[in-house]
Amino acid sequence: MSSISNQILIVGGGPSGLLLAHELLRRQIPVRIVEKRRSPSHTSRAMTVHARSMEMFDHMGMASRLEAICLECPGNLYRFPGLAEADYPRTDYRVLPTRFPFYYKISQNDFEQVLREHLFSHYTVQPEYSTALVEAQSDLDWVIARIRLADGRVEESRYRYIVGCDGVHSTVRDAAGIKFEGKNVGVMGMMDVELTNVTFDDRWMNYFFNKDLFMNCTKMPGKYWRMYMSDPTGDYVHREDQQQAYQEVADQLGTGFQVGKPAWVTAWTVRNHIAERYRAGRLLICGDACHVHSPAGGQGMNCCMQDAFNLGWKLAAVVKGHADEQILDTYERERKPIGEQVSQGAAATHKIVMGFGIPPEDRLALTQTPDWEARTTHLVSGLSHNYRDVTVLPPGLTPVSGPKPGERAPDAILVDQPRRRLYDLYRRPQFTLLVVSGTDDPGWVIDTGVKLRTQIDSKFPGQVATILISRETDSRFDFDHHCCDAGTEFVSRYEIPPGGRLVLVRSDLYLAMACQPGQWELIDTYLEQWFLPATSR
């Protein structure tokens, strides 16, 4: 007889599983995380945390800890043979319109430790190691899971949902019968090592390559450098003496440095695969179980975590009875196109740096289009990822200026001292409705906002926080729900007109919709696609 659990079972204790657990727990949804590894990993593959992920971690309250232990990387230098350093193509992230105009370098094992510590300190939850899902069978109401415990016993429990954050060889994906099609695109070696005789800027990710070899390297926090290496046959990647193999490749590429004794080295097959779907009933998959691609660009871990950030609030709303189960279908509709876009972008960068057999001058031409750098940095950073094409808006909505529904909601400084940012207002596990009073008739806009807040709080209690942005105070908005806009960034970035604006932002920092105050009732209509009215629960 199987027991019944009120937890969401998360299979996999890597970045996507830990982040999904956080998003569920802060919405009072209990979780259980099982991880077949014997203990937390002390080795690493991923190493980059991009701007959109840092905005997410700022939202979750973890940004300051990551800032303390990461190294900033301004971007990537593509060291084409025969070019002077001033002529190297580069992707410079320092111009991005974000509080985090760079990407962070940190070994995945150290990064995961931050996630685990945050999860345990806030919710007293941690992964169960040496614990593996053996089998999962789903019916209309439950998923029956057979789990092998650390002592070898197998238990059977019923869960409402199981989410597979269990990587490329996902047990959950197999149990759900979801195909994972694609192809292998090469082999990759990786090493953490001390280097000497380095003559180039260690802040950047430096790509070295010729027609048949590839290597990149950058300084990591601490004493080690992270190096990646590839060749078309795998002869160097799989050589027994890896220190010598890396040194030979480095010498052939003219790097000038000396490779020390590796602290850690690994190799793997580079795959480009994507799942045909992300959900089968009560079984869902997330992260690497959904998509895997070339590490070129360093987007993999970031895309995985953004999957979890999207799924978390939706699954919590369904479990709490605040939303119909059909909103889980929007997880795939929104995230699968992003996974495909990331895979295509990684393949494009892969062709530039690992397009073996293609002359370097032909690969250089791929970097010479006028918008190549801006397009690449916005894509890789995650700032350009959006849900515009799948966003459903109420009939009759008049389009307004500024960010479009489904796009990233920009941040802005509202008050300089004491510092108050727009993202501070969004830092909550709810949607946020901004009532922006404008200058033409602020009293009327505020009255409209009060009316809308009353209607939303009655129909969708607890789902939306309404905040007044105005230079004038109003007794109907308390100190925590009012902020003065003392600068110009917000009005500029959201293109707020003198007549004011209503702006609805999702809890995952994407713009839900924006409208003129006179169309305030359409906000209520929009919310109906996500949440059930209180009277129908």
Side-chain angles (χ1 to χ4, degrees):
M1 183 69 179
S2 58
S3 61
I4 295 178
S5 175
N6 69 337
Q7 300 167 311
I8 299 298
L9 179 63
I10 299 173
V11 182
S16 56
L18 294 170
L19 197 137
L20 177 62
H22 184 279
E23 288 302 281
L24 291 170
L25 286 164
R26 73 177 179 138
R27 293 173 171 87
Q28 294 84 50
I29 304 298
V31 304
R32 180 186 185 186
I33 312 169
V34 297
E35 170 55 64
K36 66 182 179 181
R37 291 178 296 175
R38 296 174 60 184
S39 63
S41 177
H42 67 280
T43 57
S44 167
R45 285 190 184 176
M47 56 155 287
T48 55
V49 183
H50 282 289
R52 187 55 172 164
S53 294
M54 283 305 300
E55 291 180 344
M56 174 182 70
F57 287 120
D58 177 54
H59 177 77
M60 297 166 66
M62 280 186 268
S64 60
R65 176 59 181 150
L66 290 170
E67 288 173 321
I69 63 175
C70 293
L71 285 181
E72 286 187 20
C73 181
N76 303 338
L77 280 178
Y78 300 85
R79 295 175 171 270
F80 277 86
L83 292 184
E85 181 158 345
D87 297 325
Y88 290 146
R90 65 186 64 206
T91 46
D92 191 336
Y93 290 76
R94 292 174 295 185
V95 298
L96 290 176
T98 172
R99 180 183 161 192
F100 305 99
F102 45 79
Y103 63 78
Y104 270 138
K105 300 182 289 186
I106 181 174
S107 290
Q108 183 177 336
N109 50 306
D110 295 325
F111 175 72
E112 288 184 9
Q113 186 176 61
V114 171
L115 298 184
R116 287 193 301 272
E117 289 173 347
H118 189 88
L119 199 62
F120 192 75
S121 66
H122 284 70
Y123 305 106
T124 325
V125 170
Q126 55 191 344
E128 299 174 39
Y129 290 96
S130 298
T131 305
L133 177 70
V134 177
E135 184 181 4
Q137 295 181 338
S138 181
D139 59 29
L140 289 177
D141 299 314
W142 302 96
V143 183
I144 302 173
R146 299 182 70 243
I147 298 172
R148 181 177 292 111
L149 306 178
D151 61 7
R153 292 182 297 116
V154 175
E155 69 170 30
E156 187 173 285
S157 298
R158 293 173 181 263
Y159 296 90
R160 286 192 62 184
Y161 293 94
I162 296 179
V163 185
C165 303
D166 48 348
V168 175
H169 305 291
S170 171
T171 301
V172 176
R173 189 183 64 234
D174 290 344
I178 297 174
K179 294 180 181 178
F180 193 55
E181 298 179 339
K183 61 182 180 179
N184 298 340
V185 294
V187 293
M188 179 75 74
M190 188 176 71
M191 176 186 289
D192 283 350
V193 66
E194 292 187 70
L195 300 181
T196 55
N197 298 333
V198 176
T199 59
F200 48 83
D201 191 336
D202 64 10
R203 298 174 304 150
W204 292 76
M205 176 67 77
N206 293 272
Y207 287 83
F208 298 88
F209 46 89
N210 59 24
K211 185 178 179 181
D212 296 311
L213 293 172
F214 161 79
M215 176 173 281
N216 72 348
C217 57
T218 191
K219 184 69 170 55
M220 297 293 285
K223 63 182 179 180
Y224 294 120
W225 289 68
R226 171 64 53 83
M227 300 181 67
Y228 295 84
M229 185 256 285
S230 185
D231 64 283
T233 64
D235 290 346
Y236 287 104
V237 170
H238 296 303
R239 185 179 295 181
E240 183 175 352
D241 187 341
Q242 283 290 281
Q243 180 179 355
Q244 182 61 32
Y246 274 71
Q247 187 65 66
E248 287 185 22
V249 172
D251 291 344
Q252 290 187 57
L253 293 174
T255 67
F257 55 68
Q258 294 296 309
V259 179
K261 183 178 180 181
W264 180 68
V265 64
T266 189
W268 70 95
T269 299
V270 180
R271 296 179 172 88
N272 193 345
H273 291 239
I274 191 161
E276 64 171 346
R277 52 198 172 115
Y278 286 13
R279 176 187 175 218
R282 295 183 176 275
L283 295 171
L284 299 103
I285 55 175
C286 185
D288 282 343
C290 298
H291 44 74
V292 63
H293 46 79
S294 170
Q299 302 173 76
M301 182 173 70
N302 295 267
C303 186
C304 291
M305 294 187 296
Q306 293 290 337
D307 288 346
F309 198 44
N310 181 289
L311 176 60
W313 69 268
K314 298 173 181 177
L315 186 55
V318 171
V319 172
K320 295 175 82 169
H322 296 162
D324 190 273
E325 190 178 46
Q326 68 181 7
I327 76 164
L328 297 180
D329 294 333
T330 69
Y331 162 58
E332 178 186 322
R333 283 203 298 270
E334 293 181 343
R335 292 306 302 173
K336 187 174 181 181
I338 300 298
E340 293 169 342
Q341 186 180 26
V342 168
S343 293
Q344 292 165 5
T349 302
H350 183 98
K351 185 175 182 180
I352 293 170
V353 298
M354 286 180 277
F356 299 132
I358 302 174
E361 56 268 26
D362 292 344
R363 292 191 247 163
L364 177 63
L366 300 175
T367 71
Q368 301 305 297
T369 56
D371 63 343
W372 173 76
E373 181 180 4
R375 187 178 69 251
T376 301
T377 54
H378 279 75
L379 171 64
V380 175
S381 67
L383 297 189
S384 67
H385 295 168
N386 66 80
Y387 309 135
R388 286 194 306 260
D389 292 344
V390 292
T391 294
V392 179
L393 297 172
L397 177 67
T398 302
V400 296
S401 58
K404 303 305 177 188
E407 292 183 344
R408 162 186 173 266
D411 194 11
I413 297 174
L414 296 170
V415 181
D416 193 51
Q417 290 188 352
R419 181 63 62 91
R420 188 75 164 157
R421 307 184 71 98
L422 196 56
Y423 272 25
D424 296 326
L425 308 186
Y426 299 158
R427 197 176 290 119
R428 57 187 71 246
Q430 305 163 289
F431 279 37
T432 303
L433 173 63
L434 304 179
V435 178
V436 189
S437 64
T439 57
D440 281 354
D441 190 357
W444 178 81
V445 176
I446 296 171
D447 290 343
T448 299
V450 172
K451 188 187 306 182
L452 177 57
R453 180 185 63 184
T454 300
Q455 182 165 314
I456 290 175
D457 288 351
S458 174
K459 189 173 181 179
F460 309 108
Q463 303 307 314
V464 181
T466 303
I467 298 176
L468 173 65
I469 297 185
S470 174
R471 299 198 176 191
E472 304 295 329
T473 60
D474 189 288
S475 61
R476 294 168 292 180
F477 289 88
D478 63 29
F479 187 74
D480 288 346
H481 294 83
H482 169 261
C483 186
C484 176
D485 179 20
T488 61
E489 280 190 356
F490 171 61
V491 169
S492 174
R493 291 178 181 176
Y494 283 75
E495 300 184 30
I496 304 296
R501 179 73 51 83
L502 299 175
V503 179
L504 183 66
V505 176
R506 295 175 12 164
S507 55
D508 53 2
L509 302 178
Y510 284 87
L511 188 74
M513 65 166 284
C515 67
Q516 303 165 2
Q519 292 193 303
W520 63 274
E521 291 179 305
L522 295 182
I523 297 280
D524 177 281
T525 303
Y526 171 89
L527 289 168
E528 289 176 348
Q529 69 183 285
W530 297 111
F531 304 112
L532 293 170
T535 54
S536 65
R537 296 177 192 171

